[in-house]
């Protein structure tokens, strides 16, 4: 095995930034439409500051949340296949005791 990181490991930060950016664009678009950015009476100039604030907050919150979720995953557990139900407790390989029951 080499100590060089794989391409998958190198692209992980770009994927996180891409997901956070997509969420920020969506939240900014919804905010822009809700604030009346397309209405001539309101105009885009008055909706843009609120749109930028909401998009920036969304970008930071999503990026921070995804990063914290990735910290909870053990890298060794990602590569290991799971061949049992995840939520059930682990069973022992010992046979049950065949003694008298009271």
């Amino acid at each position: 095995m080499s100590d060089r990181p794989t391409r998958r490991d190198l692209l992980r930060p770009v994927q996180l930034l891409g997901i956070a950016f997509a969420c920020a664009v969506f939240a900014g678009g919804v905010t822009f439409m809700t604030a009346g950015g397309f209405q001539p009476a309101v105009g885009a100039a008055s909706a843009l500051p609120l749109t930028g604030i909401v998009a920036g907050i969304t970008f930071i919150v999503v990026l921070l949340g995804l990063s914290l979720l990735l910290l909870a995953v053990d890298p060794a557990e990602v590569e290991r296949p799971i061949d049992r139900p995840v939520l059930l407790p682990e069973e022992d390989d010992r046979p049950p005791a065949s003694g008298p029951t009271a």
Side-chain angles (χ1 to χ4, degrees):
M1 281 202 144
S2 65
D3 292 334
R4 295 175 48 195
T6 62
R7 184 174 175 89
R8 180 178 176 204
D9 293 334
L10 292 175
L11 289 178
R12 189 166 309 212
V14 174
Q15 292 170 352
L16 288 176
L17 290 173
I19 292 170
F21 182 73
C23 291
V25 167
F26 177 76
V30 169
T31 305
F32 185 74
M33 287 187 275
T34 305
F38 292 123
Q39 295 179 357
V42 177
S46 62
L48 283 177
L50 179 63
T51 300
I53 291 170
V54 169
I57 290 173
T58 303
F59 179 78
I60 292 170
V61 167
V62 170
L63 188 65
L64 195 67
L66 288 175
S67 299
L68 288 174
L69 285 174
L70 280 177
L71 285 175
V73 176
D74 184 20
E77 296 291 325
V78 173
E79 301 297 327
R80 191 179 70 173
I82 297 174
D83 56 350
R84 63 174 184 81
V86 178
L87 297 177
L88 293 179
E90 293 186 24
E91 298 176 0
D92 292 335
D93 290 335
R94 296 177 291 166
S98 59
T101 58

